Amino acid sequence: MKVYARREPLLVRPGARFDCVGDGLCCSDIHAVGALTEEDCERLALISEEAVDRYEDGGDAVLMMRSDTGRCVFWTEEGCLIHRRLGPEIKPSPCIQFPYALTATPVGGRISTQHRCTCRTLGPLPPVTAEAARASLLDSEGQLKFEHAVLDEVAWSAGQILSFDEYARREAPLLEALLEGKQLMTVLQAQPFPELEGTTWSDIADELRGFHGSSRAAVVARWFGDALGFLVDRRPRTKQGRPWADSFERAAKRVVDPVSPNVVFGDWLADELWSMRWTRFGSLARARTEWATRLAVARRIAGWLDISDPVRDNVSAAEVVMMVDVISTSEPWEKVQEAMRDS
Ligand code: SF4
């Protein structure tokens, strides 16, 4: 019987929370805000001549970031200018979609959320609902758009392929254990820093430490490279500033009931698991090793940030999750993904 990847019904991961409270983090150079559709570009051209940036190689069009603030040209202290003056539905499609993503599976569309935003990771937030997320996940034709699809064969390990139903049955207790936020390395059952093919962790650390400049992405690369260098070679760290200090300090005021760093890390890993994006690279066993590595780095950086009280502890963990998430889409980390063997 042929199995199809379905977008409906929409499925929400237990425990996922989000509400846009306008911290403005997602409007900064944490990533190029794109890819913009042609429709986005045409609409933006009517609003401003300087809104769209096009890569010279003819690649995707993205929103222009201001060089002085590293933020979108439409960002203001009071929030998004387009949102305020013209309405939320006029915003470019990547802004409408953030932080949601959809994975089509044989039983429906899994809604996952990115953790690159304080509106996702800090303070009291309402549960994600399928109704609220749906509007963000529609394309210009009104269809649900998915970024990734999974069919009926899921690799639990390199040598063990499961049906989707069997995978979901085994995934449920794993999700639950991650959300408990205890003994995360034990839950992952994986060792960080596996052997790489054709490169070494020291080389990756060097490459990340070699990022120059003051963009947030460059600063994060140096944080990550320092932590990696310390963990694999005991290299001394360099001093780096906090790239999103303003947004995190604003968000810190919303934290009334701080949660432990492990709860923040477990929530992030639960979304990594639930999104099933890891199936692009290989088995779940391989993905666990990759997560264990980023978790080890995250804990090292969190230890270097301010941990003077439970609120600071909570904020530092959220800030670090943002860093390791940003690195996961960097060129050096693409090399890591290619160099990791499946197990
Ligand atoms: S258009 Fe608005 S929501 Fe989108 S990145 Fe710019 S300021 Fe943020």
Side-chain angles (χ1 to χ4, degrees):
M1 191 179 69
K2 192 154 170 99
V3 174
Y4 296 94
R6 298 165 57 193
R7 288 171 273 196
E8 302 256 22
L10 287 175
L11 308 165
V12 175
R13 197 211 83 198
R17 295 177 175 276
F18 170 72
D19 186 21
C20 178
V21 292
D23 288 334
L25 235 171
C26 59
C27 307
S28 74
D29 59 3
I30 53 169
H31 52 112
V33 180
L36 301 173
T37 63
E38 276 315 307
E39 236 177 33
D40 288 331
C41 294
E42 282 165 22
R43 209 169 48 235
L44 286 164
L46 299 175
I47 304 170
S48 162
E49 285 175 1
E50 292 170 351
V52 176
D53 200 8
R54 282 186 193 271
Y55 290 125
E56 280 170 16
D57 60 5
D60 294 330
V62 296
L63 268 172
M64 188 69 115
M65 297 285 149
R66 283 176 51 158
S67 58
D68 55 344
T69 61
R71 287 202 153 98
C72 170
V73 288
F74 297 113
W75 184 84
T76 69
E77 284 288 343
E78 290 75 44
C80 170
L81 259 184
I82 302 181
H83 188 117
R84 272 196 303 139
R85 299 219 177 131
L86 303 170
E89 66 288 350
I90 305 296
K91 287 194 296 191
S93 51
C95 309
I96 293 174
Q97 184 178 327
F98 191 86
Y100 298 112
L102 193 65
T103 300
T105 79
V107 297
R110 286 184 165 201
I111 299 169
S112 59
T113 49
Q114 291 194 42
H115 288 234
R116 296 184 184 192
C117 183
T118 47
C119 303
R120 172 64 187 85
T121 56
L122 276 180
L125 298 164
V128 170
T129 63
E131 296 70 39
R134 177 181 287 278
S136 298
L137 290 165
L138 298 176
D139 62 19
S140 54
E141 320 267 278
Q143 301 289 323
L144 284 167
K145 56 183 173 194
F146 60 89
E147 284 173 18
H148 188 54
V150 178
L151 293 172
D152 202 29
E153 289 187 346
V154 183
W156 188 260
S157 63
Q160 200 179 13
I161 307 296
L162 307 178
S163 68
F164 183 83
D165 285 349
E166 175 59 14
Y167 164 75
R169 199 182 59 72
R170 292 198 197 180
E171 181 204 57
L174 192 51
L175 271 177
E176 217 170 284
L178 288 172
L179 290 172
E180 270 181 26
K182 290 182 195 147
Q183 307 289 344
L184 293 174
M185 283 293 184
T186 311
V187 173
L188 289 177
Q189 290 182 330
Q191 290 297 320
F193 313 113
E195 203 180 314
L196 300 175
E197 275 175 21
T199 186
T200 64
W201 290 109
S202 305
D203 288 344
I204 300 292
D206 280 341
E207 194 173 340
L208 288 164
R209 284 158 62 111
F211 272 74
H212 297 295
S214 56
S215 76
R216 291 173 174 86
V219 176
V220 167
R222 295 197 292 269
W223 269 107
F224 199 106
D226 270 1
L228 199 51
F230 179 86
L231 290 168
V232 295
D233 296 325
R234 292 287 150 202
R235 286 192 234 170
R237 64 180 282 218
T238 52
K239 274 269 176 209
Q240 306 295 338
R242 291 168 55 211
W244 302 284
D246 53 347
S247 294
F248 276 92
E249 288 316 311
R250 193 176 318 154
K253 298 192 181 105
R254 294 192 279 108
V255 179
V256 286
D257 198 6
V259 295
S260 75
N262 267 348
V263 168
V264 178
F265 296 144
D267 187 31
W268 156 59
L269 291 170
D271 256 333
E272 293 276 324
L273 175 64
W274 175 256
S275 75
M276 297 190 78
R277 280 189 293 268
W278 49 267
T279 56
R280 287 176 187 157
F281 302 106
S283 73
L284 179 61
R286 182 193 175 287
R288 289 181 187 212
T289 307
E290 195 262 326
W291 298 334
T293 303
R294 278 194 287 144
L295 176 62
V297 171
R299 284 180 165 160
R300 178 58 274 166
I301 300 174
W304 284 336
L305 289 172
D306 185 1
I307 47 171
S308 49
D309 62 48
V311 171
R312 300 302 329 166
D313 224 12
N314 189 171
V315 173
S316 295
E319 209 162 337
V320 171
V321 162
M322 169 117 189
M323 293 186 189
V324 297
D325 201 61
V326 167
I327 290 299
S328 73
T329 48
S330 68
E331 272 180 35
W333 208 254
E334 271 173 32
K335 276 188 206 157
V336 168
Q337 294 283 23
E338 280 165 21
M340 271 178 67
R341 292 197 195 101
D342 211 338
S343 51

